Amino acid sequence: MDVSHLINALNPAQRAAVTADKPHTLVLAGAGSGKTRVLVHRIAWLLLTGQSHPHQILAVTFTNKAAKEMQARLVTLLAQPTQGLWVGTFHGIAHRLLRMHWREANLPQNFQILDNDDQLRALKRVIQSLQLDEKKWTPKQVQSFVNKCKDQGSRAQNLQPESRDMWLRQMQSIYHTYEEYCQRTGVIDFAEILLKAYELIRDNQELQAHYQQRFTDILVDEFQDTNSIQYQWLCLLAGKHGRLFVVGDDDQSIYSWRGAQIENLQNFPRDFPDNQVVKLEQNYRSTGNILAVANALIAHNKTRLGKELWTDGADGEPVFVYKAYDEHNEARFVAEKIQAWDGNLQEVAILYRTSAQSRVFEDALMTRQLPYRIYGGLRFYERAEVKDVLAYLRLIIHHHDDSAFERIINTPARGIGEKTVESIRAAARAKGLSLWQASEYLLNSQGFTKRSGTAVFAFQQLILEFAEQFQNLALHAQIDAIIKNSGLCEVYLKEGKEESQRRFENLDELSIAAQEFEASAKDGNDPVTTFLAHAALEAGEGQSKSVENCVQLMTLHLAKGLEFNQVFLCGLEEGLFPHENSLKEGSLEEERRLCYVGITRARQSLYLCHSESRYRYGQRDFSNMSRFIQEVPAELLEEIRLRSSYHNAFGNSTIPACTVYNVGDEVKHQVFGQGVVLEYEGQGDYMRVHVLFSEGKRWLIAGLAGLERV
DNA sequence: TCACTGTAATTTTTT
DNA sequence: ATTACAGTGA
């Protein structure tokens, strides 16, 4: 078949990647170099040249968004639906395998997924059941331990602590008890999805042979983000004869803190001998000036495979650096630039290192009536009220789901206090029962006080009635019934707070989401289970209604994969970015990559902002310009200077700058009164002066804060 | 069960 | 400064 139309649209490097004929291909795809395009064209090429059938191809991504985009672009390119072709996230594909082969994976058919929050609660219970001190064995710490183990493929029984290593031995025992808890109550957490799917293929020879034979081509996006278990799972699925086509960028690896191993990419050529490496360095996104800055910065990293972006396009406007004197000034500068921006607001992004920085930008944009949207925060299916309703659904279909039981036994409050719940837990522990069974047992053996017995009985009746009533009810009708009859809705209506109103609306939205889910549901799987899995694996968007055409605010991590015409990279200060914690942990190179990611988001216009001071932890903090700005040759940057006099925080008086203050100088401040200079830093416009006033010491910025020499 | 109080921590986040 | 959370007392 003639595939020239497919190939001709590509540049030489892209073409080499798409038509690579070695069994294993590594595509080093720089930012904005057409990585998704290459993946999609590769699949199309495999199909159109007859090398593969759709059902022989597996394409894996990290996020649902990336998976959806790939799927959509594939359909467009092929001009037909892609039946039998598997495109999905690691978790999505692994979950699919586990649902198909639940028996072989030793899972109950209706197993449920624990999200991070559920997992944390479960671990907390486990720690308590082992009678451990929660201060010493904090659930958070245990959670990260367990997930790290699972990411590396270790079960509790595989750990081999030295006999003296009490810490590890204790962790092992918690991990082990948690494994039993999950097994007993039929739930799996996110890391477990991957681990179980890996073990399934590893230990079941029949399935292994089947899938190795089936998937002749495996394609992986964002390969630099794979962790150990994902890597092993890929190797296993590919087997001896499967072709691996992986795309990634070592310079954009920013998730090592959640287990990503950049080494997987760096070692690929060594691990898969018969391979081909293709570099995509031509950038179709940014101006020459922006790329020059990006290249100069990332060149400071030692451990990289090496790559330099270039463009056919124009140099564009210079990359600007703005020095603010505090975070409000930084925000004001950004907001004013955005006001003057001639274009769509959704093409403008404000990027920062920590979410706490967003507040000030919000204020500045709001006062100027510029619409904005902040990304991040709680997503729809993670909201407490939504999870409460889902927990009802879970408990109704599977009474032994202790996580769900704990969550709703007293939600809404029905007079079952901590003491009663603890007695149920104790009975469950003693008899090896689920909380549901333990409640029944205590009811039968008069184990409750009269009052709590009545309450627990009523709760069980409620769940049983739901179960009865739901036999032939559609999913959304079940959800409506839970909202109405569980008492959840009344509580919110009664409270009458603004918060409760929002929660109430979210429950309404849940019902609508369920209806939509049913309408688009495929195959004959149980809709309730499928919906619950959907809720866990695709937590949805943060905000229900997206405002049209608004400025985009997000952390640098969230910005990966996106692009904007105008980008403000803010808070470029030592200690904030690079973050002080990363300096301690020795992950400076990853911080630099994060900065590189931020820079390469910009198409036309890029501002690097930093502030001389900002409030951090309730204190005004002074810090130096980030080394990331200093690492870029000055000739690539253009500094935007403040006028030498301007309005200050205390009014509209114009203050002369460039006064020099010395230790011991008597000074006067328009608010704090008379004082003496204790020490100072810097010179000229931005001199920081530490002054002793009668009411205490204060750091001020000379010339800006209403300070005068007496 | 709720309200108050003291203490400690406070990067990044998908599935 | 802000917040979250455990502990205490009514």
Side-chain angles (χ1 to χ4, degrees), chain A residues 25-69:
Chain A
T25 311
L26 166 62
V27 182
L28 276 178
S33 65
K35 147 187 95 101
T36 309
R37 188 178 165 81
V38 163
L39 273 168
V40 171
H41 278 74
R42 169 73 177 188
I43 294 174
W45 183 78
L46 288 170
L47 293 174
L48 297 181
T49 56
Q51 295 183 62
S52 292
H53 292 288
H55 70 273
Q56 294 177 305
I57 297 178
L58 171 65
V60 201
T61 65
F62 273 84
T63 64
N64 291 302
K65 198 174 158 195
K68 273 185 199 139
E69 189 188 338

Side-chain angles (χ1 to χ4, degrees), chain A residues 543-576:
Chain A
Q543 290 164 14
S544 45
K545 289 160 220 138
S546 61
V547 189
E548 288 293 301
N549 195 28
C550 49
V551 181
Q552 317 281 308
L553 276 74
M554 66 191 86
T555 63
L556 285 150
H557 282 91
L558 286 174
K560 194 168 105 166
L562 306 176
E563 53 184 322
F564 309 93
N565 284 338
Q566 184 171 52
V567 168
F568 296 89
L569 208 49
C570 301
L572 278 154
E573 295 132 43
E574 284 295 301
L576 183 62

